[in-house]
Amino acid sequence: MTPLPPPPGPHLLPARDPRAQYLVLDYADMHALVADLVLPGEASMYVMSALETSRELIRHSYYRYEFATVAVTHSLFALEHVLTERLGAKEPLHALIGRAADAGLVTAGLAAELDRGRMLRDRLAQGAASSAALHVPQALAMLRAVFDAVSLLLRPPSGAAATTADGGGTRPEGGLAELWEEHMRAPFPDGFRGVDFEGVDLVLLDADVAGYVIRELKDGLDESGIAGLWGCITDLDTIAPLINEEYCAAYFTKLRTMARVAAARHIPTAL
């Protein structure tokens, strides 16, 4: 394979796409466009990653206008995943959207907007549309519909909510095995490999917690394991507030929750 020749001259910073000149004055103004696209905290790490990537594609359409269309199609990965889990059915996306509307989980208007995104994705796959199919405002409206739908679909059924309220329990969300299964499905935030906060290497911390959780699930922790796990929790308490990227922050917040659940029965009792 012949490698690409190096670009001539000095490395240039990305320039604004000319098609974005009537949208905002500069890149900083793109932040306000996506400010209301808030990641649902109760979503799985997979869903949060897909939605955050979609939101950032909108932001970076300032440099490449086609990113706006890609943002909508990428967000449908999250939508389809949430619909499949909520409805307990593996069907084509258009059927899942219809079932959600029929069940009253989303409004008819919201379902129609979601299906517009689905049809765009299909046209792109068939070569009937290009990645420049949407202007940024159109893409924003369609992406906002996905964010709204995911938030609605993640709400617990009213019966389940009532049961929880009546029970008055303080049991953490999911047992340790369930939290571990979710963690195993969550991709590590790639941009943070080799990064440390306050001298704590994120990859090593993630691996250490995983090792202690596996030992707790298998045979239970011995005294050295308990001490090591609580050391990890201390590190997590330190670094979690310092992470300013949402997916990475959510990843390590959930890692801290899992670590605390693993350590819960090993908390010394008060004398």
Side-chain angles (χ1 to χ4, degrees):
M1 185 176 71
T2 304
L4 292 173
H11 178 70
L12 299 177
L13 293 174
R16 177 179 65 182
D17 191 307
R19 292 166 290 181
Q21 63 181 319
Y22 302 111
L23 185 64
V24 293
L25 292 177
D26 55 34
Y27 176 71
D29 292 334
M30 295 297 293
H31 305 329
L33 291 182
V34 299
D36 64 330
L37 298 178
V38 180
L39 300 179
E42 63 274 26
S44 69
M45 299 303 293
Y46 172 83
V47 171
M48 290 185 69
S49 177
L51 291 180
E52 184 171 20
T53 298
S54 300
R55 186 184 64 192
E56 294 310 301
L57 283 167
I58 290 284
R59 198 195 306 268
H60 286 84
S61 64
Y62 178 84
Y63 298 114
R64 182 68 180 180
Y65 213 65
E66 283 81 357
F67 286 174
T69 299
V70 179
V72 174
T73 58
H74 191 81
S75 71
L76 297 180
F77 295 138
L79 175 66
E80 189 164 3
H81 183 84
V82 172
L83 281 168
T84 298
E85 288 200 338
R86 181 65 188 268
L87 296 171
K90 291 185 177 180
E91 297 178 357
L93 182 55
H94 74 274
L96 293 171
I97 293 171
R99 287 187 58 177
D102 292 342
L105 298 175
V106 298
T107 65
L110 184 55
E113 190 70 10
L114 297 173
D115 205 47
R116 283 183 60 211
R118 190 271 311 170
M119 289 188 288
L120 171 64
R121 182 197 65 180
D122 292 350
R123 291 199 302 273
L124 285 166
Q126 296 158 6
S130 76
S131 295
L134 297 177
H135 296 303
V136 172
Q138 295 172 312
L140 265 173
M142 296 171 79
L143 187 57
R144 192 169 287 116
V146 173
F147 270 73
D148 290 345
V150 168
S151 293
L152 288 171
L153 291 164
L154 289 174
R155 290 179 181 175
S158 56
T163 301
T164 301
D166 291 343
T170 57
R171 179 179 173 271
E173 211 178 287
L176 181 59
E178 181 181 343
L179 292 171
W180 172 245
E181 288 297 324
E182 181 180 348
H183 179 73
M184 288 291 290
R185 293 192 299 268
F188 186 90
D190 282 331
F192 288 82
R193 295 186 186 278
V195 174
D196 70 81
F197 288 91
E198 299 291 324
V200 178
D201 184 287
L202 298 188
V203 171
L204 292 179
L205 179 58
D206 182 49
D208 286 344
V209 173
Y212 291 127
V213 169
I214 291 171
R215 287 163 60 185
E216 173 67 10
L217 287 170
K218 186 177 180 181
D219 300 314
L221 290 169
D222 57 18
E223 289 187 9
S224 65
I226 294 168
L229 179 58
W230 277 105
C232 289
I233 292 171
T234 299
D235 287 342
L236 287 164
D237 289 343
T238 299
I239 63 100
L242 304 178
I243 302 173
N244 60 4
E245 195 264 351
E246 283 189 76
Y247 177 76
C248 186
Y251 182 94
F252 279 92
T253 296
K254 291 191 175 185
L255 184 69
R256 178 172 57 178
T257 298
M258 182 175 67
R260 286 186 171 276
V261 171
R265 72 187 186 93
H266 301 295
I267 298 175
T269 56
L271 296 178

